[in-house]
């Protein structure tokens, strides 16, 4: 169901010459999908940010009131040229995001339209730097995390699925996909029952989750250990964010090549599409609002965790 789009995205991104305009061209046959490309240059190079908007039948774009769902493909870069040749493991998030956009756009041409809008963002950089990390090296990015969040976390997103390769660790020992607890405004909430149900259906297996810590939901650059950048969108929004990890049994460096598995990426895309169907229809809750209101009433705001520290407070 989603393997074709995954293979198209993989073939397109697996090039030292790929750029945002080539990705945009993949959507030429889908007039209802809007794709924009923004090139941003940082201290370590440049990258092309991609924004794909697939409108719903009753979405905000058309004046409706159906929820808007966000999919973010998180990564440092899709390649580490010239030190590494080929697509790196870290590229899986971008591949999954673009494939999700292709699948949703194709569904529209076949009469399967979602009720609400879906906004998909990621970025394309075939020659990003690498950086040290324990237990294995990570991919770095040409631009800092604040810039990435600026272009990838769109205010209209009312719930966000953040897709990221999460293989460079020893806490996940499962090959496939896994989801995190929901993160909202500095709180790590319980894992969404609706997302567990959808994962069971989409994979045909028991749902798999992965642990996160307080450090993981704080901004990069504060000298704290992070499992990776999968939950960095949570520092830039009040919307609930769930990490969708593409995982491995072994420890795989983010800058490792030959480590992208088409079937696992396609599973992430399939899960994302099913979540998009329900989230835009209002039948999938990322968190329990009553529980969230109760915990904030008991313990107050935790938005300080969305900042770099005590020096500044969000909101």
């Amino acid at each position: 169901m989603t393997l074709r789009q995954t293979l198209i995205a993989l073939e397109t991104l697996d090039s030292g010459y790929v750029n945002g305009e080539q990705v945009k061209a993949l959507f030429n046959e889908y007039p209802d999908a809007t794709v924009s490309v923004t090139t941003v240059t940082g201290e370590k190079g440049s990258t092309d940010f991609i924004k794909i908007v697939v409108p719903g039948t009753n979405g905000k774009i058309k004046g409706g009131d159906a929820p808007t769902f966000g999919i973010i493909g998180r990564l440092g870069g899709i390649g580490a040229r010239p030190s590494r040749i080929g697509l790196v493991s870290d590229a899986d998030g971008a591949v999954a995001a673009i494939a999700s956009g292709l699948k949703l756009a194709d569904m529209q041409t076949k009469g399967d339209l979602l009720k609400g809008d879906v906004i998909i963002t990621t970025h394309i950089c075939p020659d990003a730097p690498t950086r040290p990390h324990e237990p294995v090296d990570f991919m770095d990015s040409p631009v800092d995390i604040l810039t990435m969040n600026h272009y990838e976390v769109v205010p209209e997103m009312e719930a966000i699925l953040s897709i990221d390769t999460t293989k460079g660790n020893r806490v996940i020992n499962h090959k496939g996909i896994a989801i995190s607890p929901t993160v909202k405004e500095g709180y790590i909430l319980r894992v969404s029952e609706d997302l567990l149900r959808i994962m069971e259906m989409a994979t045909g297996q028991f749902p798999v989750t992965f642990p996160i810590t307080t450090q993981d939901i704080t901004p990069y650059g504060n000298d704290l250990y992070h499992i990776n950048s999968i939950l960095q969108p949570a520092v830039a929004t009040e919307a609930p964010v769930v990490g969708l990890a593409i995982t491995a049994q072994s420890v795989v460096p983010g800058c490792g090549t030959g480590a992208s598995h088409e079937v696992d990426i396609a599973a992430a895309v399939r899960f994302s599409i099913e979540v998009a169907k329900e989230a835009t229809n209002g039948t999938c809750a990322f968190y329990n609002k009553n529980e969230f209101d109760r915990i904030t009433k008991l313990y107050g705001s935790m938005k300080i965790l969305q900042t770099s520290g005590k020096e500044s407070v969000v909101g």
Side-chain angles (χ1 to χ4, degrees):
M1 297 273 286
T2 57
L3 186 57
R4 176 176 174 271
Q5 288 78 19
T6 300
L7 293 175
I8 291 171
L10 271 170
E11 286 293 332
T12 302
L13 297 191
D14 192 10
S15 167
Y17 304 115
V18 67
N19 57 40
E21 291 300 326
Q22 292 177 25
V23 173
K24 182 178 180 179
L26 296 176
F27 292 83
N28 286 345
E29 61 183 288
Y30 305 116
D32 291 334
T34 302
V35 183
S36 59
V37 179
T38 305
T39 301
V40 178
T41 300
E43 295 182 357
K44 302 175 184 178
S46 66
T47 190
D48 288 351
F49 285 97
I50 311 290
K51 179 182 177 183
I52 305 162
V53 180
V54 183
T57 57
N58 190 40
K60 307 291 195 307
I61 292 174
K62 295 183 178 179
D65 59 1
T68 300
F69 180 58
I71 298 173
I72 298 177
R74 283 291 310 121
L75 69 156
I78 63 170
R81 299 170 179 88
S83 62
R84 306 286 197 282
I85 298 174
L87 198 76
V88 296
S89 173
D90 200 39
D92 292 1
V95 174
I98 293 165
S100 296
L102 288 170
K103 180 61 179 178
L104 287 168
D106 187 61
M107 286 167 54
Q108 284 196 327
T109 66
K110 297 174 180 177
D112 288 332
L113 287 76
L114 274 60
K115 194 171 182 179
D117 307 324
V118 180
I119 302 174
I120 302 157
T121 57
T122 191
H123 72 101
I124 306 300
C125 179
D127 52 5
T130 62
R131 66 181 179 87
H133 186 272
E134 292 294 336
V136 289
D137 289 347
F138 270 2
M139 287 296 297
D140 203 350
S141 175
V143 298
D144 60 35
I145 194 66
L146 293 177
T147 302
M148 281 192 274
N149 279 341
H150 174 75
Y151 287 98
E152 293 178 348
V153 183
V154 180
E156 289 80 7
M157 295 175 173
E158 296 175 56
I160 296 173
L161 202 59
S162 175
I163 312 174
D164 198 352
T165 314
T166 311
K167 302 174 181 177
N169 62 81
R170 292 192 175 93
V171 299
I172 304 174
N173 302 304
H174 163 80
K175 182 180 181 297
I177 60 174
I179 59 171
S180 76
T182 300
V183 178
K184 179 172 169 60
E185 297 177 51
Y187 275 102
I188 300 175
L189 306 174
R190 64 187 177 110
V191 179
S192 164
E193 292 291 335
D194 284 334
L195 295 183
L196 292 174
R197 169 180 54 79
I198 294 171
M199 177 170 275
E200 285 182 324
M201 176 180 63
T203 65
Q205 298 176 325
F206 292 127
V208 179
T209 64
F210 67 95
I212 57 174
T213 65
T214 301
Q215 294 98 305
D216 295 321
I217 67 169
T218 62
Y220 264 24
N222 59 6
D223 296 325
L224 295 176
Y225 178 89
H226 296 73
I227 188 171
N228 66 355
S229 65
I230 191 167
L231 287 165
Q232 286 301 292
V235 308
T237 180
E238 292 187 357
V241 177
V242 170
L244 172 57
I246 300 173
T247 61
Q249 285 184 321
S250 59
V251 180
V252 179
C255 56
T257 58
S260 295
H261 298 268
E262 298 88 342
V263 173
D264 295 339
I265 301 172
V269 176
R270 186 167 57 253
F271 174 75
S272 300
I273 297 300
E274 293 305 312
V275 174
K277 290 177 185 178
E278 294 205 23
T280 59
N281 194 43
T283 56
C284 172
F286 273 45
Y287 73 106
N288 184 302
K289 187 178 184 303
N290 290 333
E291 283 188 1
F292 183 75
D293 290 344
R294 178 63 175 165
I295 196 171
T296 54
K297 182 177 181 181
L298 287 170
Y299 300 104
S301 172
M302 293 296 288
K303 290 183 179 181
I304 186 67
L305 292 174
Q306 295 179 280
T307 74
S308 297
K310 294 182 179 179
E311 291 81 6
S312 59
V313 179
V314 175

